[in-house]
Amino acid sequence: GVSMPDPRQVAIDATVTLGQGVEILPGTLIEGTTVVGDGAILGPNSHLLNAAIGTGARVPSSSVNGAEVDPHEVVRPFSVLGGPTT
């Protein structure tokens, strides 16, 4: 399953695909055709749009728009990957 400490502070489009053991932290918005691999940790305060997040990747406080995060990659906080978000 997917773990969310506070689901009230998370928004996920119906078009998103989430793997097993994904953790989604507060303030995270996941939109479009985003695919998240098993065991990834998203947030807090991240925005993913049409992104591909690899197995075991970590995306804290960042924006990923139309970009790919490799398996087990740790994105630096406040990074912007891909195009601008709106």
Side-chain angles (χ1 to χ4, degrees):
V2 174
S3 168
M4 287 182 268
D6 190 353
R8 297 170 299 160
Q9 294 187 40
V10 171
I12 304 169
D13 280 354
T15 53
V16 169
T17 302
L18 299 173
Q20 292 294 314
V22 172
E23 184 175 1
I24 305 171
L25 300 173
T28 299
L29 173 61
I30 309 172
E31 300 179 289
T33 58
T34 297
V35 176
V36 180
D38 295 345
I41 301 173
L42 309 175
N45 305 315
S46 289
H47 182 202
L48 291 80
L49 174 63
N50 301 326
I53 309 301
T55 298
R58 297 186 68 185
V59 184
S61 302
S62 298
S63 175
V64 182
N65 182 0
E68 183 174 332
V69 175
D70 291 332
H72 307 289
E73 181 177 352
V74 178
V75 175
R76 293 175 73 82
F78 310 109
S79 294
V80 177
L81 306 178
T85 60
T86 56

